[in-house]
Amino acid sequence: MASNDSPAYQPKDAVGGAARSTLILGGAGLFLSAVQNTLTRQNVTGWGVITRTGGTIGLFAAIGGTFEFARVAAANLREKEDAYNPAIGGFFAGGIVGFRMRSFPAVIGYGAALATLQGVFEYTGGKLHGYEADTSVDQYERKEQLRRNRRRPIEETLQELGEGRGIYGPGYDERRRERIQKRYGVDVAQNATQAS
């Protein structure tokens, strides 16, 4: 028996997830339908959300339920959690959008587009906000470690950038004093002691 590092797959409830997604995206569709109804030029009653732009509610609900059911069913059948499951769900959900166009190429095209989008999104981490920071590490210590790893020697910085702009190497005061003495004939150390 081969040992895998990943834990055994636990089946999930496809019908329950589909019902939950149907309700959530149906609510989003209801909101968008209400916005569409509000932005119409004609004076439509409040029932226009259902009668006039109600197709949006049904479309969103169907997309949500189909995506979640196909994603979870694929994961249960394959017994794996990977990027293929959202791609399969995306294909079926995109097919629902294509049905609205009443064209088989639209069904395949929208399905392939949404499958690609969902698969790539899940493959690249499934997050829009980047990685999550490790909460067990103190942030001050983490930043200090980053500074120690990325800090360059002052000699290397001076060689590339030169002195000035807040970057001064050892012996800078003596070199400055000599340069001012040579150019202007003023001894900086004497002027500093006389002023105080």
Side-chain angles (χ1 to χ4, degrees), residues 28 36 53 65 88 107 114 121 124 131 134 138 180 195:
Q36 286 176 333
T53 58
I88 292 169
V107 170
L114 198 54
F121 179 70
T124 57
Y131 74 96
D134 186 11
D138 183 37
I180 292 174

Side-chain angles (χ1 to χ4, degrees), residues 11-164:
K12 296 177 180 67
D13 181 19
V15 175
R20 188 171 43 255
S21 292
T22 300
L23 289 175
I24 290 171
L25 280 179
L30 177 65
F31 175 75
L32 286 176
S33 179
V35 170
Q36 286 176 333
N37 188 43
T38 304
L39 296 176
T40 57
R41 288 180 175 254
Q42 298 165 346
N43 188 8
V44 183
T45 65
W47 287 106
V49 172
I50 305 294
T51 59
R52 187 174 178 93
T53 58
T56 305
I57 301 169
L59 179 67
F60 272 67
I63 288 171
T66 304
F67 173 78
E68 188 65 18
F69 181 81
R71 184 186 70 81
V72 174
N76 287 341
L77 290 172
R78 297 176 63 240
E79 295 184 356
K80 290 182 182 178
E81 279 289 342
D82 56 6
Y84 290 117
N85 299 332
I88 292 169
F91 181 78
F92 284 105
I96 295 292
V97 176
F99 280 144
R100 200 167 188 188
M101 306 296 166
R102 297 180 181 169
S103 165
F104 187 70
V107 170
I108 299 298
Y110 279 104
L114 198 54
T116 304
L117 181 71
Q118 290 291 330
V120 169
F121 179 70
E122 185 68 26
Y123 182 77
T124 57
K127 295 183 176 92
L128 293 175
H129 56 79
Y131 74 96
E132 293 180 13
D134 186 11
T135 57
S136 64
V137 177
D138 183 37
Q139 291 298 312
Y140 179 77
E141 291 177 10
R142 185 182 69 81
K143 288 183 180 181
E144 283 299 316
Q145 177 65 29
L146 288 173
R147 285 186 190 106
R148 281 193 295 270
N149 283 344
R150 306 243 189 313
R151 190 166 284 163
R152 301 169 76 181
I154 187 71
E155 293 82 17
E156 185 180 337
T157 305
L158 288 174
Q159 185 179 11
E160 287 184 22
L161 300 176
E163 288 183 325

